[in-house]
């Protein structure tokens, strides 16, 4: 996996050794305010896995970074050393978990041998989840992740109903009605996107248990027509018929077809 990942990143980035380049950039950033280095202060405790959690789309600060550690004591020493370089950082504790929080509420600490960085309310939610209700206890999550392809570097899980709820007012009622009329009941519906590096290419595989009105099709001939120096491309087969079918379902649900066609026209789509 590591060999495939490095080869794929090298192809996309143009760097012969992307791992070394990333370490150089990290060391440069650390050197601005500290005497810390990746080799001495991060590598000894850095684990193999990491994750990003998003709890809301209406708040730019509703996310968390979680990194596996192999030596939680060394990771804590790293956090303490970073804190010494920042003004107005205070030490706090929640449910037996010590952490540091700055004047903006951004918190960093060790939770169950993982380094966690998030705004303080999210940090405390993750502490609570570690001791009780978490995605690991969700059978839908476990079933979805069980379908992840072998050799994937990154797996992105989306609880579709929860994601729409988290979007809040950013999804207008008409748009929500159109989504529901097209996709049906979203209870228990999920999606999984997996990034799979392979040699000098990267594959993106998306799976879902939504009964969507879209049929898989071969778009290779469309992609073949793109410029030779393209480093990324995607294609959608039968886009017009899929949109038309979605419009018919939205119209059947009571949404004005003329309004929907007008909105599509604003982005250059004429059915």
């Amino acid at each position: 996996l590591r060999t495939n990942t490095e080869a794929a990143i090298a192809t996309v980035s143009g760097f012969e050794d992307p791992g070394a380049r990333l370490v150089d950039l990290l060391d440069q950033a650390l050197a601005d305010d500290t005497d810390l280095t990746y080799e001495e202060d991060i590598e000894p405790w850095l684990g193999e896995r990491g994750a990003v959690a998003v709890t809301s789309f209406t708040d730019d600060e509703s996310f968390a970074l979680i990194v596996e550690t192999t030596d939680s004591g060394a990771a804590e020493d790293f956090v303490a050393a970073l804190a010494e370089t920042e003004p107005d950082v205070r030490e706090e504790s929640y449910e037996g978990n010590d952490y540091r929080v700055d004047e903006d509420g951004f918190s960093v600490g060790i939770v169950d041998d993982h380094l966690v960085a998030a705004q303080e309310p999210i940090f405390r939610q993750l502490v609570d989840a570690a001791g009780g209700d978490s995605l690991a206890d969700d059978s839908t999550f476990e079933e979805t992740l069980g379908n992840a392809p072998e050799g994937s570097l990154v797996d992105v899980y989306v609880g579709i109903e929860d994601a729409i709820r988290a979007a809040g007012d950013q999804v207008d009622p008409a748009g929500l009605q159109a989504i529901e009329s097209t996709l049906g009941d979203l209870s228990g519906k999920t999606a999984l996107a997996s990034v799979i590096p392979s040699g000098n290419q990267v594959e993106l595989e998306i799976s879902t248990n939504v009964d969507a009105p879209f049929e898989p099709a071969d778009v290779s001939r469309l992609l073949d027509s793109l410029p030779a120096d393209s480093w990324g491309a995607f294609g959608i087969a039968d886009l017009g018929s899929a949109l038309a079918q979605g419009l018919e379902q939205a119209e059947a649900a009571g949404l004005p077809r003329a309004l929907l066609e007008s909105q599509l026209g604003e982005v250059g789509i004429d059915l």
Side-chain angles (χ1 to χ4, degrees):
L1 176 60
R2 177 174 179 174
T3 300
N4 285 336
T5 300
E6 290 180 342
I9 295 176
T11 299
V12 174
S13 67
F15 294 114
E16 183 176 347
D17 188 344
R21 176 59 176 167
L22 181 60
V23 169
D24 286 343
L25 292 174
L26 184 56
D27 282 341
Q28 290 173 25
L30 290 171
D32 288 341
D33 300 300
T34 75
D35 295 326
L36 304 174
T37 66
Y38 172 81
E39 183 178 4
E40 295 291 334
D41 302 286
I42 298 178
E43 188 175 22
W45 58 262
L46 185 62
E48 295 183 353
R49 300 177 183 272
V52 174
V54 180
T55 61
S56 173
F57 297 110
T58 59
D59 186 345
D60 292 339
E61 298 178 340
S62 295
F63 73 93
L65 173 67
I66 304 103
V67 179
E68 182 183 54
T69 73
T70 58
D71 184 338
S72 58
E76 173 61 29
D77 291 342
F78 172 73
V79 173
L82 277 182
E84 292 177 356
T85 68
E86 297 290 334
D88 302 319
V89 173
R90 67 182 190 276
E91 295 185 23
E92 296 287 351
S93 182
Y94 178 70
E95 300 292 341
N97 293 269
D98 298 330
Y99 64 96
R100 288 169 171 79
V101 55
D102 67 14
E103 58 184 345
D104 296 319
F106 190 74
S107 305
V108 182
I110 307 300
V111 180
D112 280 358
D113 294 326
H114 289 76
L115 185 147
V116 176
Q119 288 296 119
E120 191 168 18
I122 306 300
F123 183 93
R124 293 191 172 199
Q125 286 181 27
L126 289 169
V127 171
D128 292 336
D133 187 21
S134 69
L135 276 178
D137 303 314
D138 188 328
S139 60
T140 302
F141 171 79
E142 288 293 325
E143 181 180 352
T144 302
L145 263 290
N147 294 324
E150 184 178 354
S152 61
L153 173 66
V154 177
D155 296 309
V156 180
Y157 167 82
V158 179
I160 296 176
E161 184 180 26
D162 293 333
I164 293 175
R165 187 184 303 116
D169 296 337
Q170 295 188 25
V171 179
D172 62 82
L176 179 59
Q177 189 174 357
I179 293 172
E180 291 177 340
S181 65
T182 301
L183 302 181
D185 183 12
L186 296 177
S187 300
K189 301 302 183 181
T190 64
L192 179 69
S194 299
V195 178
I196 311 162
S198 176
N200 62 351
Q201 66 182 19
V202 177
E203 298 178 17
L204 175 63
E205 180 176 308
I206 300 176
S207 60
T208 180
N209 58 356
V210 173
D211 298 323
F214 309 117
E215 295 293 332
D218 183 9
V219 296
S220 58
R221 286 190 298 174
L222 174 62
L223 297 180
D224 287 345
S225 66
L226 297 174
D229 59 351
S230 301
W231 65 265
F234 70 92
I236 302 176
D238 299 325
L239 176 61
S241 60
L243 286 175
Q245 185 176 355
L247 280 175
E248 291 175 0
Q249 293 180 342
E251 187 177 24
L255 295 177
R257 183 183 179 94
L259 174 61
L260 295 172
E261 289 182 337
S262 174
Q263 292 177 337
L264 288 174
E266 291 179 1
V267 294
I269 299 177
D270 182 0
L271 298 179

